[in-house]
Amino acid sequence: MMEVLQYEFMRNALLAGLLASIACGVIGTLVVVNRIVFLAGGIAHAAYGGVGLALFMGWPLTLGAALFSVAASTAMGAASTGRKHRADTLIGVMWAVGFAVGIVFTDLTPGYNVDLMSYLFGSILAVPSSDLWLMCALNAIILAVVCWYYKELSAVSYDEEFATVRGVPSRALHYLLMVMVALCIIMIIRLVGLVLVIALLTISPYMAEGLSKSLKSMMAWSVVFSAGFILLGLWLSFTLNLTSGATIILVAAAFFFLNLTTGNLIARRRKTVGNTLRIF
């Protein structure tokens, strides 16, 4: 593993993976606990509309994706709070529209931009040093907001109605969470692509939930799992000459299904032992 560090692109990839794991662990935990995985997926796919628009207008692609995803997150946040019985339909429509807008703007742009592929399927090995500074800034913003509003976010995540009764601004925090999800997606979209971003955002928190007794410990375990999946996937992709983003997701998925299998076996064994004890 050490010999790969002699390459600058591998050092950048490792740093990008570690920085992304922090955002994935923290925001992914809030996504899983608040059961807004589908909404996060909508934001991720709608971000491609911003990529296409930025390409057409000649703007930086990351800026376009950020503006579009933040706007989409606000709209989806309003849809999920205003008309909850139709929220899934509205989010699904915005999900598709955002992606379609990106495709149309890409078609209207003359020439062929290969950099678009990194937003669709990820290219962690092509992350430049400038993106690392952007990831550091986004991580700082996310961590500062979560630390400042930790108690309120925790209350809303586990019992929104009770938190609202106690005076917690649940609606405002919901919009704030949507914006942070958008920022997190912008950070990791270059690593694994918008097609695979939801897996990286949710697998680690799901596995961490079984080891945690608080939201804080769940976030910590999620960061550890995310970092492990990214580093192992990156090493395997380099060793086997595979696409890095897809390899990272497959590593995470392998541990996810292993966790499901072992968890089911343990639960079944406990049930069998319990029934045996009741017999005797």
Side-chain angles (χ1 to χ4, degrees):
M1 183 67 177
M2 296 302 296
E3 66 271 12
V4 303
L5 296 179
Q6 62 182 313
Y7 304 108
E8 182 181 2
F9 71 91
M10 282 300 299
R11 293 196 297 269
N12 287 348
L14 287 171
L15 289 174
L18 292 175
L19 290 171
S21 66
I22 297 174
C24 286
V26 174
I27 299 302
T29 295
L30 293 173
V31 167
V32 170
V33 171
N34 284 275
R35 296 179 175 86
I36 55 173
V37 175
F38 183 65
L39 197 153
I43 296 173
H45 284 73
Y48 191 68
V51 174
L53 177 62
L55 181 65
F56 180 76
M57 299 296 294
W59 301 341
L61 298 186
T62 302
L63 175 62
L67 293 175
F68 215 84
S69 61
V70 170
S73 67
T74 304
M76 292 182 188
S80 61
T81 55
R83 301 178 64 185
K84 290 188 176 181
H85 62 293
R86 295 297 183 190
D88 57 342
T89 302
L90 293 172
I91 292 170
V93 170
M94 286 187 280
W95 175 324
V97 168
F99 204 85
V101 167
I103 295 174
V104 169
F105 275 118
T106 301
D107 291 338
L108 294 175
T109 305
Y112 175 73
N113 195 322
V114 70
D115 196 43
L116 288 176
M117 293 299 101
S118 66
Y119 285 89
L120 282 173
F121 305 107
S123 182
I124 190 174
L125 298 179
V127 174
S129 300
S130 57
D131 278 14
L132 295 178
W133 290 108
L134 176 62
M135 294 174 74
C136 287
L138 292 177
N139 261 330
I141 293 172
I142 289 172
L143 290 176
V145 171
V146 171
C147 289
W148 186 263
Y149 292 107
Y150 175 77
K151 291 183 179 179
E152 291 83 357
L153 287 170
S154 181
V156 171
S157 297
Y158 289 108
D159 196 334
E160 183 178 353
E161 292 184 3
F162 180 74
T164 303
V165 171
R166 294 298 300 269
V168 177
S170 303
R171 191 179 183 88
L173 287 174
H174 181 72
Y175 283 110
L176 181 61
L177 177 57
M178 293 303 99
V179 173
M180 288 195 295
V181 170
L183 294 178
C184 179
I185 287 172
I186 292 304
M187 184 188 303
I188 62 179
I189 201 174
R190 288 292 296 271
L191 274 64
V192 296
L194 61 86
V195 177
L196 304 174
V197 67
I198 288 303
L200 189 61
L201 198 62
T202 56
I203 288 176
S204 295
Y206 178 86
M207 293 178 59
E209 191 172 17
L211 301 173
S212 309
K213 295 183 178 180
S214 67
L215 189 66
K216 191 181 300 182
S217 63
M218 185 175 171
M219 289 179 179
W221 276 111
S222 296
V223 171
V224 173
F225 283 137
S226 295
F229 297 152
I230 291 173
L231 293 179
L232 180 56
L234 191 58
W235 176 75
L236 286 174
S237 68
F238 182 83
T239 303
L240 303 176
N241 193 27
L242 301 172
T243 302
S244 55
T247 306
I248 290 171
I249 297 304
L250 287 177
V251 167
F255 279 94
F256 171 76
F257 288 115
L258 180 63
N259 178 71
L260 280 181
T261 303
T262 55
N264 290 337
L265 288 176
I266 292 173
R268 195 175 303 168
R269 183 178 178 83
R270 287 176 177 173
K271 184 177 180 179
T272 302
V273 172
N275 291 336
T276 304
L277 291 176
R278 281 194 293 270
I279 292 174
F280 288 99

